Amino acid sequence: MSPDLCGGMKLVSGTDELIQRIIIRLTMKKGSFALHPEWGSELAGLDIAQTDNLTLFSIVNEALREIEEVSVLEIERKLDTTEKRLYLIIYLDIAGKPTTLTLNTEGGR
């Protein structure tokens, strides 16, 4: 679901639905959803600035492994010194289409 122009919610499908599933899996703490404790990731509470790229790649790949249409290609960190924010940039293949997803890591964490 995503917001519509009137402030309500609308159903999404296709690539938009896959991106929504990806964002939920990456931003939800692993084990926090009682119906599917395997969903989520270990990114929550992790100090992204102090974690090496291979570990980040493994965490993201593990969180998304059950979404068949998605492959993790690369992970990158980008520091915005003006806003003092650290972003995690995730390069994905979603159903054959290269896609970039940027997550705000809330000031480095």
Side-chain angles (χ1 to χ4, degrees):
M1 297 186 120
S2 70
D4 64 16
L5 296 176
C6 299
M9 299 301 280
K10 66 177 182 174
L11 290 176
V12 293
S13 61
T15 303
D16 289 339
E17 187 263 339
L18 287 170
I19 291 171
Q20 187 177 65
R21 287 172 54 197
I22 291 166
I23 291 169
I24 290 169
R25 296 265 179 121
L26 292 176
T27 58
M28 180 174 48
K29 185 176 180 176
K30 189 167 190 163
S32 65
F33 186 51
L35 297 176
H36 292 281
E38 71 279 7
W39 288 5
S41 78
E42 301 296 335
L43 290 176
L46 187 68
D47 187 347
I48 302 295
Q50 299 298 317
T51 306
D52 64 272
N53 278 6
L54 182 58
T55 301
L56 291 172
F57 183 91
S58 295
I59 289 169
V60 170
N61 200 46
E62 171 71 17
L64 303 180
R65 79 178 189 291
E66 292 182 10
I67 306 175
E68 293 180 11
E69 304 89 343
V70 176
S71 297
V72 181
L73 303 175
E74 187 178 346
I75 301 288
E76 180 182 336
R77 288 173 286 190
K78 182 178 181 183
L79 179 63
D80 182 330
T81 54
T82 305
E83 294 184 24
K84 296 182 181 171
R85 291 186 184 225
L86 182 63
Y87 295 92
L88 184 60
I89 303 168
I90 304 167
Y91 299 94
L92 303 163
D93 179 304
I94 300 178
K97 180 181 175 188
T99 306
T100 303
L101 178 67
T102 302
L103 297 178
N104 177 352
T105 62
E106 299 297 324
R109 287 198 177 265

